[in-house]
Amino acid sequence: MESDKRFQELINQINGKWDLIIVNMLKTGEFHFNELLKNINGITPKALSDSLKKLLAHGIIEKDIKNINPINIVYKLTEKGNALINPINSLVNWQIQCDKKR
Protein backbone atom coordinates (compact mmCIF):
# COMPACT_ATOMS: atom_id res chain seq x y z
CA MET A 1 0.00 0.00 0.00
CA GLU A 2 1.32 3.46 -0.92
CA SER A 3 0.49 5.03 2.46
CA ASP A 4 2.44 2.27 4.26
CA LYS A 5 5.46 2.96 2.07
CA ARG A 6 5.24 6.71 2.77
CA PHE A 7 4.89 6.08 6.49
CA GLN A 8 8.02 3.88 6.47
CA GLU A 9 9.93 6.59 4.59
CA LEU A 10 8.86 9.12 7.21
CA ILE A 11 9.88 6.90 10.11
CA ASN A 12 13.28 6.25 8.52
CA GLN A 13 13.95 9.99 8.48
CA ILE A 14 13.15 10.67 12.14
CA ASN A 15 13.46 7.33 13.92
CA GLY A 16 16.52 8.06 16.03
CA LYS A 17 16.22 8.53 19.77
CA TRP A 18 17.35 12.15 19.52
CA ASP A 19 16.05 13.22 16.09
CA LEU A 20 12.78 14.84 17.15
CA ILE A 21 14.41 16.37 20.21
CA ILE A 22 16.98 18.06 17.97
CA VAL A 23 14.31 19.24 15.53
CA ASN A 24 12.20 20.56 18.39
CA MET A 25 15.18 22.45 19.81
CA LEU A 26 16.11 23.95 16.46
CA LYS A 27 12.60 25.39 16.07
CA THR A 28 13.78 28.26 18.30
CA GLY A 29 16.71 29.13 16.04
CA GLU A 30 20.17 28.07 15.07
CA PHE A 31 22.60 26.31 17.40
CA HIS A 32 26.26 25.35 17.44
CA PHE A 33 27.14 21.70 18.03
CA ASN A 34 28.31 22.38 21.59
CA GLU A 35 25.14 24.34 22.38
CA LEU A 36 23.04 21.38 21.27
CA LEU A 37 25.23 19.03 23.26
CA LYS A 38 24.90 21.16 26.39
CA ASN A 39 21.13 21.64 26.10
CA ILE A 40 20.04 18.09 25.23
CA ASN A 41 20.18 16.17 28.46
CA GLY A 42 21.87 12.78 28.16
CA ILE A 43 23.05 12.95 24.55
CA THR A 44 26.64 11.98 23.78
CA PRO A 45 28.82 13.76 21.21
CA LYS A 46 28.72 10.67 18.95
CA ALA A 47 24.93 10.34 19.20
CA LEU A 48 24.52 14.05 18.40
CA SER A 49 26.93 13.82 15.48
CA ASP A 50 25.16 10.74 14.09
CA SER A 51 21.71 12.34 14.40
CA LEU A 52 22.87 15.59 12.81
CA LYS A 53 24.40 13.68 9.87
CA LYS A 54 21.16 11.78 9.31
CA LEU A 55 18.97 14.88 9.59
CA LEU A 56 21.30 16.69 7.17
CA ALA A 57 21.15 13.79 4.70
CA HIS A 58 17.34 13.84 4.76
CA GLY A 59 17.19 17.61 4.26
CA ILE A 60 15.54 18.29 7.62
CA ILE A 61 18.35 20.51 8.89
CA GLU A 62 21.17 22.40 7.27
CA LYS A 63 24.65 23.31 8.33
CA ASP A 64 25.57 26.95 7.88
CA ILE A 65 29.25 27.92 7.96
CA LYS A 66 29.30 31.48 9.27
CA ASN A 67 33.06 31.99 9.38
CA ILE A 68 36.06 30.08 8.09
CA ASN A 69 38.78 31.20 10.51
CA PRO A 70 37.98 30.28 13.17
CA ILE A 71 35.33 27.97 11.77
CA ASN A 72 31.85 28.81 13.03
CA ILE A 73 29.18 26.25 12.12
CA VAL A 74 25.54 26.43 13.14
CA TYR A 75 22.68 24.04 12.52
CA LYS A 76 19.18 25.19 11.64
CA LEU A 77 15.95 23.80 10.27
CA THR A 78 15.25 23.74 6.57
CA GLU A 79 11.79 24.40 5.15
CA LYS A 80 11.20 20.65 5.38
CA GLY A 81 12.32 20.67 9.02
CA ASN A 82 10.09 23.63 9.86
CA ALA A 83 7.16 21.69 8.38
CA LEU A 84 7.70 19.07 11.11
CA ILE A 85 6.98 21.51 13.94
CA ASN A 86 3.17 21.35 13.72
CA PRO A 87 3.09 17.53 13.69
CA ILE A 88 5.50 17.47 16.66
CA ASN A 89 3.27 19.92 18.53
CA SER A 90 0.26 17.73 17.74
CA LEU A 91 2.03 14.71 19.20
CA VAL A 92 2.91 16.66 22.34
CA ASN A 93 -0.72 17.77 22.70
CA TRP A 94 -1.85 14.17 22.20
CA GLN A 95 0.48 13.09 25.02
CA ILE A 96 -0.84 15.85 27.30
CA GLN A 97 -4.42 14.75 26.65
CA CYS A 98 -3.54 11.10 27.34
CA ASP A 99 -1.82 12.07 30.60
CA LYS A 100 -4.91 14.00 31.73
CA LYS A 101 -7.06 10.90 31.26
CA ARG A 102 -4.95 8.77 33.58
Side-chain angles (χ1 to χ4, degrees):
M1 203 185 234
E2 182 65 23
S3 64
D4 292 341
K5 182 180 176 188
R6 294 252 184 220
F7 184 73
Q8 187 60 51
E9 289 173 12
L10 162 71
I11 294 302
N12 288 339
Q13 292 181 52
I14 55 171
N15 67 350
K17 176 179 180 179
W18 304 104
D19 296 346
L20 290 178
I21 294 169
I22 293 167
V23 170
N24 194 55
M25 181 169 223
L26 290 175
K27 76 181 180 186
T28 62
E30 54 190 38
F31 286 85
H32 295 93
F33 183 92
N34 285 333
E35 291 174 314
L36 290 167
L37 191 62
K38 178 182 171 187
N39 288 293
I40 300 174
N41 191 29
I43 196 168
T44 65
K46 181 178 181 348
L48 177 57
S49 179
D50 291 347
S51 286
L52 290 172
K53 285 177 188 173
K54 185 173 84 170
L55 293 168
L56 282 162
H58 287 293
I60 296 170
I61 66 169
E62 63 186 359
K63 181 169 37 172
D64 189 10
I65 300 173
K66 298 277 190 185
N67 194 7
I68 299 299
N69 193 10
I71 196 156
N72 185 1
I73 298 172
V74 294
Y75 296 91
K76 59 187 179 181
L77 293 177
T78 61
E79 185 177 329
K80 182 178 179 179
N82 275 308
L84 268 173
I85 299 307
N86 284 337
I88 290 171
N89 289 339
S90 293
L91 286 170
V92 169
N93 289 333
W94 170 79
Q95 181 63 47
I96 291 167
Q97 292 304 314
C98 289
D99 287 349
K100 286 179 181 177
K101 292 179 181 179
R102 288 186 189 174

